[in-house]
Amino acid sequence: MHLLPETELEQILSGCSKGGRSSQLALYKLFYAYGMSICIRYAESEEEAIAVLNEGFFRVFQNLGKYDRARPFKPWFRAVVVNTAINYVKKQRKFKSEVNMEEALHVPEREDILSRIGYKELMAMVQSLSAAYRTVFNMYVIDGFKHEEIATQLGISVGTSKSNLTRARAKLQQLVLQKIDTRYA
Amino acid sequence: MPDWTDKDTDKLFQDGAEQFDFEFNPAAWAQMEKKLDREKRRRLFWWWWPAGFGVIMLAVIAFMLNRKNLTPQDSLPVGKQSVHASGNLPKNSGETASPQIFPGNQPGTDGAIPKSADAPSLEEKGVLKMAPAGKSGQGAASSGKPLPTATDGQNKVKTPDAPTPVPGPENVGLSISENNISVILKRRDSLQQRSFLPTILIKEVLLGHPVQPSLILPFDNKNLLAQNQEEDNGLALIAGIAAGFELSSAGLGDFSRLSWKLGANLEFRYRQRFGLGIGANFIRLNYDAGKGEYIPPKGFWTRKIPPIASRGICQALEIPLDFSYYAGGLKRSGIFASAGLKSYVMLAQQYYYSYDLPDPDLRRMWKTGKNSAYWFAIGQISVGYNKVFSKKTNLAIASYVQVPLSGIGHGNVELYSVGTQVRLGFRLK
């Protein structure tokens, strides 16, 4: 997302409030990548992520009247999209299932990892988690929810949330290690 | 590794999540546009339908007001006419009744019945005495208001002593019996007045008081009497051919698909205005259903994955059963309203399913030619205008709204519709 003067964003948002299709397209283009980066973490595929993102944009367009123009737009947009993604996961009703997994054995130095593995691969790893682990991991680690909030949002216990997070981390560490081992074997 | 902590893992993925570089995807925007268009159509419907209904209601109100604001000779609704004109005379012979035939002074009158050569006053004839002003207990007279007159300004009231006029639309008369005073104005007027909806509904339906019998026709005009009686109580049978179109949607989401129908019906009329109709229409249903609005039998979807949208194209026999009220009756044009139930016999059904996922195994289409019936599955209300061309033919145009009472078709779809129908009627009997 390239930086945009505030006035230009204001104009786009005003156009969106009036239902202007060109303004809606401008906002969509402007926040598509950012929105996708959120949705892809919750979805299992890019197609699914697009569907979630479109639902998020739809809610943004519908609720622009509720957005406080005195505050930055990006956090509000993020909140709408994250909530849309969580609702999507809830509708799928997959987040309650838990899958047994093996503990990760060891993980190399973190500073080396990003230079060896692209962020797309990291996101692919997140996507490869079961919905139960993925959702809790995303909500807690990336989107900053607390376990109590996660439990309330998903209708699970705090203990389940913590358990899923622990196992998700362990699984991701294992996947990172495997990726590095495969690449540099 | 001993120094690899959970925080390290979190940081790694937080950093990864920040480094996004998705390119704008025109296909994604195309999906978004579809979504926005659908919402736009849905909103348009919710504007259009109340607006259309409002226009119809305004037309009805204007029609009512127009009935009220007719010229004095045309403006007496039957309710008033019958109440005042046919009120019982007091048994007490010492009291004379005010002949409250007309509600107010008329131009050219002074509160007394005119003493003209053509129409001698009731007092002069000794038939009726006017109550003196200020006498208590006698309605308008008692309140000091000018006494009502038995004239409409143009047509003079004639007593039974008067020469018998030539029967025809200009007949004016007054009939007085021991307990009853009745008046008839122009026959044309009385027919017009009987279409005043609230009065008719109150008197004929709610109170169970037939209006016309209170009008005692003067001068042994049997032809006129026979005509009025026929119009009041006669049954009629009207056959019609109908055509229409409607916008249908499963749920209230998308009313963009047009359906059409063609058929015939038969209507029984009772007391001119009340109709009970049954019909048979061939209808080509065309509609969209959103996610969760198409509910097929269990196990129909591949791996239980439902589509995000379904489209139905069906041929069916529509069987409407309606009860109608015609303000204008059989012989006059006017508005009408109806309510009823519709049943459907599906003749052929074809459905197309859309998914978010590009999975080739998912079911994309299904069709059947097997018949299935859905009785009284849809309720309908309509308002329209019935134009009477002649004694035998009429044309009715109506707007209607249909709401589901139960699901129809393979997808058990709850179908909402809004539409317009035209019906050409031929009176058989």
Side-chain angles (χ1 to χ4, degrees), chain B residues 330-344:
Chain B
L330 278 169
K331 295 188 175 179
R332 286 174 40 75
S333 300
I335 58 163
F336 72 97
S338 64
L341 299 170
K342 286 186 170 176
S343 303
Y344 287 85

Side-chain angles (χ1 to χ4, degrees), chain B residues 277-300:
Chain B
I278 189 165
N281 299 321
F282 173 82
I283 183 166
R284 189 176 190 277
L285 279 168
N286 201 356
Y287 62 84
D288 283 333
K291 194 171 184 179
E293 292 170 342
Y294 185 98
I295 308 163
K298 214 171 179 181
F300 181 75

